[in-house]
Amino acid sequence: MSTKRFSIKITGASGQGINSIGEMLAKALKNNGYKIFAYREYPSLIKGGWSSYQIEISDLELASSEEKCDLLVCLDRESFYHYLPTVDAGGVVVHSLIKLKLNETEPLKSGARINEKKYLEDNKIQIEFIDAIAESKSKWGKGIFANTILTGFIWKLLGEPVAEIESELSTFFKNKPEIIPTNIEALRYGYERTTELKQFKLDFKKDNSWQDSYILSGNHVLALGAIQAGTRAYYSYPMTPATSILEYIAETSHQTGILVKQAEDEITAVQLTIGSMFAGTRAFTATSGGGFDLMSETLSLAGMIETPLVVVLAQRSGPGTGLPTWSGAGDLNLAVNAGHGEFPRLVLAISDVASAFIMMQLAFEFAEAFQIPVIVLTEKQIGESLYNFKKFPLSLPIQRYLLNGEALKTVKSEDRYQITESGISPRWLPGSSEQTYDANSDEHWLDGSDSEIAEQNIQMYEKRMRKLTKLQKQLPEPVLYGNLDAENILVGWGSVKGAVIDALAEIENPEKFAYLHYEFMFPLRTNKLNDLVKKGKKISLIEGNYLGQLGKMLQAEIPELKFTDKLLKFNGRPFFVDELSSYFSSK
Amino acid sequence: MSTKRFSIKITGASGQGINSIGEMLAKALKNNGYKIFAYREYPSLIKGGWSSYQIEISDLELASSEEKCDLLVCLDRESFYHYLPTVDAGGVVVHSLIKLKLNETEPLKSGARINEKKYLEDNKIQIEFIDAIAESKSKWGKGIFANTILTGFIWKLLGEPVAEIESELSTFFKNKPEIIPTNIEALRYGYERTTELKQFKLDFKKDNSWQDSYILSGNHVLALGAIQAGTRAYYSYPMTPATSILEYIAETSHQTGILVKQAEDEITAVQLTIGSMFAGTRAFTATSGGGFDLMSETLSLAGMIETPLVVVLAQRSGPGTGLPTWSGAGDLNLAVNAGHGEFPRLVLAISDVASAFIMMQLAFEFAEAFQIPVIVLTEKQIGESLYNFKKFPLSLPIQRYLLNGEALKTVKSEDRYQITESGISPRWLPGSSEQTYDANSDEHWLDGSDSEIAEQNIQMYEKRMRKLTKLQKQLPEPVLYGNLDAENILVGWGSVKGAVIDALAEIENPEKFAYLHYEFMFPLRTNKLNDLVKKGKKISLIEGNYLGQLGKMLQAEIPELKFTDKLLKFNGRPFFVDELSSYFSSK
Amino acid sequence: MMNTDNSKPVEFSDYYNPNIYTWCTNCGNYGIHAALKRALVAENISPGNTMMFFDIGCNGNGSDKILGYRMHGLHGRAIPVAVGAHLANRKLQTIAFGGDGASLNEGVNHLVHAIRSDYNILFILHNNENFALTKGQASSATETGRVCDACPDGPVESSINIMSFILAMNPSFAARSFSGDIHQMTDVIRAGIRHQGFSVVEIMQNCPTYNRYSGHEWYQKRVYDVTKLADYDKTDLKAAQNIAQDLKEKIATGVLYEKPRGDFYSKLVNRKDYKTELVEEVKAGEIGKLMEAFR
Amino acid sequence: MMNTDNSKPVEFSDYYNPNIYTWCTNCGNYGIHAALKRALVAENISPGNTMMFFDIGCNGNGSDKILGYRMHGLHGRAIPVAVGAHLANRKLQTIAFGGDGASLNEGVNHLVHAIRSDYNILFILHNNENFALTKGQASSATETGRVCDACPDGPVESSINIMSFILAMNPSFAARSFSGDIHQMTDVIRAGIRHQGFSVVEIMQNCPTYNRYSGHEWYQKRVYDVTKLADYDKTDLKAAQNIAQDLKEKIATGVLYEKPRGDFYSKLVNRKDYKTELVEEVKAGEIGKLMEAFR
Ligand SMILES: Cc1ncc(C[n+]2csc(CCOP(=O)(O)OP(=O)(O)O)c2C)c(N)n1
Ligand SMILES: Cc1ncc(C[n+]2csc(CCOP(=O)(O)OP(=O)(O)O)c2C)c(N)n1
Ligand code: SF4
Ligand code: SF4
Ligand SMILES: [Mg+2]
Ligand SMILES: [Mg+2]
């Protein structure tokens, strides 16, 4: 059990309202001046199964969760069976399971209940039953205040003053003021309920200035980054974990004026997007792996006709339908190679909220500057976790790289695909001149007209591919976090960052490690890593996939690169801070 | 000009009948005991443009063409402008272009006519005009015998006895016996026509046993390989250069009984295929890059549900629509990485007819043995060129790797996705037992039922991926051709093989080179290459793409691998034997 | 390739799968599964002689709650994969399932082409008028203007009346039922199984969680069975098209249209003389004759 | 985002592209291009104010033989890419083109959904009843049993009457013409340009190379113009559906159906008060307010 954080897991079946409890607690905690991070697990079905809303509390900024928790709350049996083994030694379990009988035998097959009795005893875990629905019924005639009772009770266990959670509850129900008074009663009832359980004490520094910090999911911030970048149209077909981007942009469309179209399928979504970008507005689409496959022919089109395109690939665990509501980072190879033929592209990978905000802006910047498709990788872990932070990172100025004004008066159709040293040719928008062109997916010559002349074909192909060289030069090297002189370097990308950096903040021996973080995945910059290799550092790889996809890409570039260790995880779960802390501590 | 071969280029607009002339000549030549190879260039349109049918003649077995030719025949102007610069010094041009005026000025922009007069003079090329249509009209009242006249004339220039071409013409028109007599007349007329041109003499050894050798395209043989392997259904959506597979399997469907369905699109084609394989017959589909993109989601499905799947990816030059009727080898990265998530797959690459026949059989063998998707790469250059050969390579025995007989009596649903060391689990066909299973694209446990339990998810994921390890062990190393002790090693794949090996047969210094040929592209075997690297050989790369895709894959596996040279070609044309001969000779 | 000892009649429990259903309380999918099992039992088709192809969607989450040779494939693709399997082995009963999202959005191409191709499979379309599994977005069948997830103003597109759509494609069999009527569902599914050709059964499926507009009672009040109409001629396409249009007041159910015209496979000239299924024919092909043409 | 000095009337030659046409002699596409140019000129729309989206197919090989802002995109995808461009800038005239293969096979989903979505673009469907560019395979519009490339026995699937298909989808504008009648094509293209909504113009296009069944004379003998019928009511969908069915004896052409009902964009509640086009609005978004919700 980490002393740097406290973690609560609210668990139950889909549809039991654990998210509401979680959200309320999370906001109240942050209003109290704590820093939080919230992580969600849920199955791919609408009701039933087991799911959890886990809140980490600390006085450090967090971007990861523990696998273990200090306080487990269970609203249904399956969740109890499943999550009990995650309660840390000395922890507490609160449940509402009538006549729960602890299992006392060893499990015989995979997935079966553990020997619960023994686990509780061995780990000195306290457990208490609260028949919240019955209590709600007996007090107010109906069971619906059960979750509020539990919320009050949890708050009490945390040792926080009741006022804060009351005010958060009022905010939470502000659109239904009529139900607030009874809920407040239920909350107090829960708070004042007697208990055998020990009371925790959140032993973290409160920061008053944190009270008006934000709590947002990665997908919210991704959408906000795109809005910041001037997105005017969003096209998508629902697919977890990208759906919440669609939901958010649609919900706020009256405020933003963004045109939102839920397309008939992913091919349509990406074709609408490239059509809008061709005409000159900023538009994007988001999907997950399966939908991305369907979009891949259009990536190749974008590469050929040199029309900017931004596609978000929100990763979950594959292949096939996989674990649709779980996380993963197994689509890097796909992002780098999808789409037939050869064409320049940029692959970015978001790692947290700050990165989501900046990467979406950069995606449009690079897509338009280089007239290429840009793929932005994110993960369910980033998109659906709730981050607590105070300041949005910088907004980048918007540049369009289009001919206008005087330049338009002298432009000629043949300028559109001019052979240039950088590979970038002038671009002007439909309607801005009577000098028109053909954005031709057939191999073409200067104004886009068909060409099958070998010499022209080579020149045009090389022109397109040269953009890759320029692009690579322009991209930054990966950032090294931690002790820059450390002996052990971990290399990773995506949500891994949060867990590694959080772990380094919790261990005894942080000076031994540094973490090299990639956000610009293709084309790769490898100077910094190369230097580290040359200096003889021990380099290890950490990725959310089986193959070590980034590792392979790096090895193709840096012959001398050997990995001391490979931390690869591919079971739908993110890296947890406690598993990394033990890893580091063991070194 | 090579002394080992003679090459004729028949050129004209699409629709002018150059293929018929070419085919007739090719067959007649092989009936005469020569060995031939024929290569076709044509535009992506139905009539017009310029195209060529090029025949190489030799006493060596050939699998490549020269860029230059000895005899150029032009039926239309565009072809003349375009192909004149390919006539070798001392060559001959025959054309039917009324009032052709040779250009005498230097070209000012890309794609313009060369200084034709100068080119002819500098290279001592003879040129002659034959107004074949007018001659046909004056003799027989209509122009349609023009091509036959030209055929006779060409035959004469080659110095071959007229009887051979006459008998081939009769075979060619065997379904229209009424037109044979006049065509024979026209042929003789052409043959006996006076000319100022020098007469060539085919200075090659005739091989009588060669008379009943075969002339087939790579796509024909690919289809025959699949038929040999027991294919019972073929599903496809037309796309060059895969269309001729569909055409051939459809045309012969009365003989083979194969069920052929032209699907409404590529997604349907591949879904029909995997459905048929699931039910237990052998079926496959073929497409080119754009259609393959659309199929890629299904590759991932196949990986997840462990159902065999065979997809042929017939490459042309991309990206986008690219050069739809030209060749390329730019889809290796795609074949290796397409489809979201991680799953085992096998990627094979055909290099010529023998390889087409064997690889299609192996595709089914491996797909079924390992229950994985297999992607077979081919190229327009292989699929649509005509190879002349004598013996079909070996037919492999068909094994199905299915439970049957006694085993079916004791099988349990949970056996289907049993966790095994090899990663391969028992498979039995629908209908063969009352113990049924779920081929579930959601992550699953032993009988295919959903599972979101971390421990099970890891085990199943690892089980699937372990197949890759076993598969790699089972695949052969690449083959080394040429002088096994040579200092310079070229590494390549696909149609490159034919050109390299033919070039090695033509140069003065063949002992300096060897060629390492990959047909098993993923997972890669690298021991042999590694040994060569360790021995300090100079390794060079030769590929039909810009990025050197195989090269990068090899470098990711063999840190010490550096390429002395990279021969990369990406203009839609194959490697020509003469360009490689000069390359070798310059070393 | 049929395994069953047909002497033992198939029982309902033969289809029992111990996995626990994960649908919401009162979800219409429960009724559909019950009817499906009843129909298969009534037709005496055992799990081992059935191939079922499930789409991705709430409906598809039933794939591991029943027995049979099943595939739970890709979203929108249940029809073509089922067809591929059917063509390989027609001795087994092939059934495909898909939601309104799968069938009219992601995979509408397959529906259009399966109808014109006359594949002899049964397709059960779970129409709950929304994308349920992804939490309630609009499908093509969602009423215009109906507020739903990710669509605060409701869709502006015209809504598709699925049965009208199907009938416009000139099918050979089209039936509609309602997830609250297990008897009728069983009957139309049985009729669909027996029909030689592409049989579409649209089931208006309750989704109490996301479709609060047309719930069980709402449908209960409006549905009527065309077979109970004195003069209904189910071979009259125009009549079916007319009667299918109303989705507001009186909703026609039952087999609305049926006119056999032979199925895809049986129209294939080159398969006419074959007595075997494709699955039984996998052996080294005879290429000798074919090669002769290339000498 | 409109550049033209409208004082100078647009001329036919403004659309002249020096690239040489590559269609076969007597290909119907020549006539279609001529009519297209005439219609644009008659509507005084300059190349600089036009966006054209070409499919892959013989029809699409016209993309570099005309002027205008053009995209020659992917097979089957002309409609959605055109729609995306149109939504970004409605001041330009957007036209999409596709073959019968593109529209009924590879991309039938887009046709179905564009009709129900009412995007305000013009779609010209070159129906030559085959996949011409890939050398004459069957499309959905190829008659059942008609022998063609890769189909020695002819397709066994029912053939789709494209206009009937379109009319079954309840379009707001549907016209049919014939590539031999430049006047009528010009007229219906102009009507399609003027219609506010998704305008489909099906052109029965001669393909002398691969469709030898219904050539110029064949059509010439059979087509008639519905506007010449005394009592034809083009706002009557049923009437249009009836008249469109015959493809053998008497073939109805002209604007068969037209009933404006507003277009997609103008139905979007959140765009009601905007006077600008999306293309004019790209600037840093105001996220301050949005962020407040997350404190
Ligand atoms: C290619 C792809 N796109 C999107 C999804 C996400 N997805 C899963 S189910 C579904 C819609 C389900 O709607 P419907 O077919 O009506 O089934 P229902 O859940 O309503 O039964 C979507 C969009 C997916 N799995 N695959
Ligand atoms: C994804 C994809 N599949 C297949 C093709 C090959 N292809 C090009 S054009 C065409 C069919 C053309 O038919 P149609 O749309 O009717 O146009 P037409 O040539 O008859 O004008 C096909 C299948 C392609 N370019 N892309
Ligand atoms: S969301 Fe609707 S369709 Fe899905 S399980 Fe619940 S009630 Fe059934
Ligand atoms: S093949 Fe047909 S459609 Fe294509 S150019 Fe020739 S006549 Fe026109
Ligand atoms: Mg639905
Ligand atoms: Mg066509």
Side-chain angles (χ1 to χ4, degrees), chain B residues 405-418:
Chain B
E406 280 307 300
L408 279 175
K409 295 200 181 131
T410 53
V411 75
K412 289 263 154 279
S413 296
E414 296 76 36
D415 297 340
R416 178 63 189 98
Y417 295 104
Q418 215 177 79

Side-chain angles (χ1 to χ4, degrees), chain B residues 27 101 234 294 440:
Chain B
K27 286 228 165 167
K101 238 184 80 54
Y234 182 70
L294 297 171
N440 192 350

Side-chain angles (χ1 to χ4, degrees), chain D residues 3 6 64 80 94 97 103 177 247:
Chain D
N3 62 297
N6 273 331
D64 59 349
T94 301
F97 308 84
S103 315
S177 189
L247 282 179

Side-chain angles (χ1 to χ4, degrees), chain A residues 46, chain C residues 23-24 27 29 58 128 132 205 207-210:
Chain A
I46 302 302
Chain C
W23 291 316
C24 310
C27 174
N29 286 324
C58 279
N128 55 12
Q205 177 230 314
C207 170
T209 303
Y210 294 117

Side-chain angles (χ1 to χ4, degrees), chain D residues 99-101 126 128-132:
Chain D
D100 47 316
H126 300 231
N128 54 12
E129 300 185 345
N130 82 91
F131 287 10

Side-chain angles (χ1 to χ4, degrees), chain A residues 145-158:
Chain A
F145 302 104
N147 286 358
T148 307
I149 294 174
L150 284 171
T151 308
F153 185 71
I154 298 166
W155 197 249
K156 145 85 140 311
L157 290 183
L158 297 179

Side-chain angles (χ1 to χ4, degrees), chain D residues 155-171:
Chain D
V156 300
E157 299 86 351
S158 314
S159 165
I160 292 181
N161 173 328
I162 294 187
M163 186 46 61
S164 295
F165 183 93
I166 291 164
L167 290 167
M169 299 294 122
N170 186 25

Side-chain angles (χ1 to χ4, degrees), chain B residues 436-500:
Chain B
T436 65
Y437 50 78
D438 190 359
N440 192 350
S441 77
D442 274 311
E443 189 57 283
H444 44 259
W445 194 227
L446 306 176
D447 69 346
S449 296
D450 284 0
S451 166
E452 298 191 343
I453 295 173
E455 179 200 315
Q456 295 179 352
N457 299 163
I458 297 174
Q459 281 189 51
M460 194 56 74
Y461 204 117
E462 288 179 336
K463 168 193 118 67
R464 284 192 300 268
M465 298 306 279
R466 273 201 296 278
K467 294 195 276 187
L468 214 43
T469 317
K470 182 177 162 77
L471 178 60
Q472 192 191 27
K473 285 208 192 100
Q474 216 158 303
L475 297 178
E477 289 283 335
V479 177
L480 193 61
Y481 294 90
N483 174 10
L484 304 189
D485 297 322
E487 257 319 276
N488 302 289
I489 314 282
L490 238 67
V491 183
W493 61 285
S495 68
V496 156
K497 177 184 172 194
V500 173

